[in-house]
Amino acid sequence: MSSRPVSIKDVADRAGVAVGTVSNVLNHPARVSTATRERVQAAIDGLGFVRNDAARQLRAGQSRTIGLVVLDVGNPFFSSLARAAEDCAAENGSTVVLGDSGQDAEREARYIDVFEQQRVQGMLISPVGDVGPRVEALRQRGMPVVLVDRVDPQRRCSSVSVDDVAGGYIAVRHLLEAGRRRIAFVGTRADYRQVADRLAGARQAIAEHDGAVLEVLEADAMTVLAGRDVGETIARRRHEELPDGIFCANDLLAIGVMQAVLLIRGLRIPEDLALIGYDDIDFSASTVVPLTSVRKPTELMGRTAVELLLEEIEGPTARRRQVIFDPELVERRSSQARVHAPG
Amino acid sequence: MSSRPVSIKDVADRAGVAVGTVSNVLNHPARVSTATRERVQAAIDGLGFVRNDAARQLRAGQSRTIGLVVLDVGNPFFSSLARAAEDCAAENGSTVVLGDSGQDAEREARYIDVFEQQRVQGMLISPVGDVGPRVEALRQRGMPVVLVDRVDPQRRCSSVSVDDVAGGYIAVRHLLEAGRRRIAFVGTRADYRQVADRLAGARQAIAEHDGAVLEVLEADAMTVLAGRDVGETIARRRHEELPDGIFCANDLLAIGVMQAVLLIRGLRIPEDLALIGYDDIDFSASTVVPLTSVRKPTELMGRTAVELLLEEIEGPTARRRQVIFDPELVERRSSQARVHAPG
DNA sequence: CCGTGCTTTTGAATCGTTTCATTAGCACGT
DNA sequence: ACGTGCTAATGAAACGATTCAAAAGCACGG
């Protein structure tokens, strides 16, 4: 039933000093004599004083907070990126607060507004749609912004993203190195830019390798069920028409394909068919045959995003940089090379 | 290159009015004549004015923000709960900001501190360990707190949680209703309170049913791999020693068991063996045989948590309430009743 | 022309903190 | 006794929004 929050004034009164002294204890302890410092500290503890951040940052003109707006906190990519960003920010004395737009432009806008009103130091945004104008407005008002998982077409602000063409290339080259030649790509109709990029990378790897062929199979969605459907059509083929390596545009599809070919046709993975997914979701290590996959360097991306932001906060004139990471291959059993020559 | 942020004073100057008028346009538009309002609005738009939340809430003494500290944003339970909380808060004019403690008491403490300094309206906390003292301190300073997924042993603050005993009961009763009698429970050694509760519920359901027997199988961890190990030992049993219904303490274990019994022994699910998991993770709808599971009412919990908090914010004397939800059964194929009498 | 009752606008005071120019206090040398 | 050179402590000003008592503006009847 405390009447109202304890202020620095109350602390000063209780300790018998001026408010400036209390402030110095908090912010410049060295300027205060030991005796005074201890007396003030005792008053702080006794009263349960908690700094008022609003007043603090009103005076300072800036906060120690970074706003992070993600598309979906439920997505492991974003949650793990957020974790890394938090760690990196903490090392630099800042705190990350998270806003989940849930792929909804309106919610995204609301979080951006709230963060701007809170005068965060800067924002990391993985934008829903075209945030060009919005980000431009932020920048004009001097708010540092770094885009996550998306490059800024106009190079107005820094960004961290992943090269999905490289990812597709790595995946298929891996299949080729494991001795596979008849490769199938499973993905949705390439309206997604990401899927299109992965396919482009796959084509590139095929083109560099004599005697390798690529066939493209279309799935209805990026889900296990859709993958199972595609897997069933594959499983029903005659032996000589079977691919010997399949690259799926994400892990869910790959898991569906695996379920179908194992259970319907009893094909052996990787002996008869090598399989590789994309995203390296948690579950991929636990499938019946552990699934090889391609992974974004999530932690690195989170840390880099914060670093780029801090760079810009400290030197607003710093050059904007588009950092593009290559994904990495996570090799598991589903794509192991044949030990014997193919039967 | 704007020199420094635009304040309400700048807007007032540009519009040729007093600061109080600008404030009224923002907060009490009805008090201002249409002509003035439009002139001020034009100045706001022209200058790109953004309210300074720090000044605002310094004056108001309170923010419109709710702090939510979760154990792990990567966990679908928490991300979906957070989503619901955000929606509910938005309907009430508040915004939820998220802090991820990552099961780390230190990070948890940091977020609680930051939120308190920010003078959030209140906090929703899913505590790492014993936050008793900490929460007590918060409460004494008048900060409303609602615990999530944990009851307060001392009934000092409201909470939302789930009755895991009821969950275990529902699961096993469902197996019994589907005609199963030889039930196995798969879980880790019951040091986890949650696992122990689920087992207790299972025992209760068995006790109510004549002729039903329960055997407890211990897994090394709550993972797919551990489940597969248990599944393998089951699959190697003689026919007359096989259980006809298995309740796993979570979905990961159940998926592991499913993989083992399908592939090693070729048992049919649900004909030979009914299987039920717990948590209803996304993946459970996509297993080879879709997995029946028990689900926490996540959205409801998120909304209720916010409602309890708002209740307490509006009436600090409101009675604290411990709201305990019953989980719900999600029926899928893995536990369907036998159509024919058992062979 | 003045008083009355209304709406609209004004601007000083306020919130809690930090900053910084100023003052106080003290030791020491002359 | 007095100036010098320290360190330590002081307290008013400032940050930007909101509030609210007071003033201004206006219409209208007497």
Side-chain angles (χ1 to χ4, degrees), chain A residues 54-212:
Chain A
R56 185 178 165 70
Q57 95 179 36
L58 170 60
R59 181 65 236 252
Q62 227 211 22
S63 69
R64 299 296 302 170
T65 299
I66 292 172
L68 168 56
V69 185
V70 300
L71 287 178
D72 176 12
V73 278
N75 182 328
F77 168 65
F78 288 114
S79 55
S80 131
L81 183 137
R83 186 76 57 88
E86 284 158 16
D87 287 341
C88 184
E91 288 162 20
N92 290 278
S94 293
T95 310
V96 171
V97 295
L98 203 50
D100 178 12
S101 71
Q103 315 242 32
D104 174 12
E106 202 181 317
R107 288 172 64 140
E108 174 182 273
R110 215 174 52 231
Y111 274 112
I112 292 176
D113 285 347
V114 168
F115 286 152
E116 193 182 7
Q117 289 178 16
Q118 290 183 350
R119 299 289 192 273
V120 294
Q121 296 179 276
M123 295 189 210
L124 308 176
I125 305 178
S126 78
V128 173
D130 178 26
V131 284
R134 200 170 189 89
V135 168
E136 185 51 32
L138 281 176
R139 302 198 53 72
Q140 280 189 345
R141 291 182 222 120
M143 174 69 66
V145 174
V146 170
L147 294 187
V148 172
D149 206 29
R150 167 96 51 111
V151 287
D152 176 23
Q154 285 125 34
R155 317 272 146 176
R156 298 289 206 143
C157 54
S158 296
S159 67
V160 294
S161 53
V162 166
D163 184 348
D164 275 310
V165 177
Y169 177 84
I170 289 168
V172 170
R173 199 189 53 190
H174 172 68
L175 290 176
L176 295 170
E177 281 169 357
R180 316 299 163 140
R181 291 297 174 271
R182 303 176 51 86
I183 311 294
F185 173 86
V186 179
T188 47
R189 187 174 290 280
D191 39 10
Y192 271 115
R193 215 182 48 85
Q194 292 185 332
V195 175
D197 283 355
R198 290 166 198 181
L199 175 55
R203 288 219 157 92
Q204 198 177 316
I206 294 285
E208 287 178 6
H209 206 290
D210 286 346

Side-chain angles (χ1 to χ4, degrees), chain B residues 17-18 20-21 24 31-33 36 58-59:
Chain B
V17 298
T21 304
N24 279 333
R31 289 190 197 159
V32 181
S33 71
T36 311
L58 170 59
R59 180 67 235 256

Side-chain angles (χ1 to χ4, degrees), chain A residues 65-68 70 73 79 82-83 85-87 94-100 111 115, chain B residues 65-75 78-79 81-83 85-86 95-116 118 120 122-128 148:
Chain A
T65 299
I66 292 172
L68 168 56
V70 300
V73 278
S79 55
R83 186 76 57 88
E86 284 158 16
D87 287 341
S94 293
T95 310
V96 171
V97 295
L98 203 50
D100 178 12
Y111 274 112
F115 286 152
Chain B
T65 299
I66 291 171
L68 169 55
V69 185
V70 300
L71 287 178
D72 176 11
V73 278
N75 183 328
F78 288 114
S79 54
L81 184 138
R83 186 75 57 87
E86 284 157 16
T95 310
V96 171
V97 294
L98 202 52
D100 178 12
S101 72
Q103 315 242 32
D104 174 11
E106 202 182 317
R107 287 172 65 140
E108 174 182 272
R110 215 174 50 232
Y111 274 111
I112 292 177
D113 285 347
V114 168
F115 286 152
E116 194 183 6
Q118 291 183 351
V120 295
M123 296 188 210
L124 307 176
I125 306 179
S126 79
V128 173
V148 173

